[in-house]
Amino acid sequence: MTNNDRSLKLISIFLLGMVLFNFPLASLFSRDGLFLGLPKLYWYFFLVWAGLIALTAWIARSPKAKKT
């Protein structure tokens, strides 16, 4: 993967995060209700945040040297 490809993927992850943390989607989980004692909105924010970090780490990791 070239640096340009990696940059485009990281920008895409940023834009995905902006969409997921924006009002329309976040408001779907702001309704009443608890899951394991915490509001659903907290779970949504935490899981989306963790997913974005995992995607970023997966894209940003350095490529391993191929053994031939």
Side-chain angles (χ1 to χ4, degrees), residues 6-66:
R6 186 175 289 151
S7 295
L8 289 175
K9 289 181 180 182
L10 290 173
I11 290 171
S12 298
I13 291 172
F14 170 76
L15 293 174
L16 176 65
M18 293 296 292
V19 169
L20 291 175
F21 282 119
N22 210 342
F23 171 71
L25 286 178
S27 68
L28 294 175
F29 298 94
S30 66
R31 307 213 190 305
D32 291 338
L34 299 177
F35 181 71
L36 296 177
L38 290 172
K40 292 178 186 177
L41 185 62
Y42 290 2
W43 283 104
Y44 172 74
F45 282 144
F46 178 73
L47 292 174
V48 167
W49 174 68
L52 290 173
I53 289 174
L55 275 173
T56 303
W58 182 59
I59 296 297
R61 68 187 167 118
S62 61
K64 297 179 181 176
K66 293 183 179 180

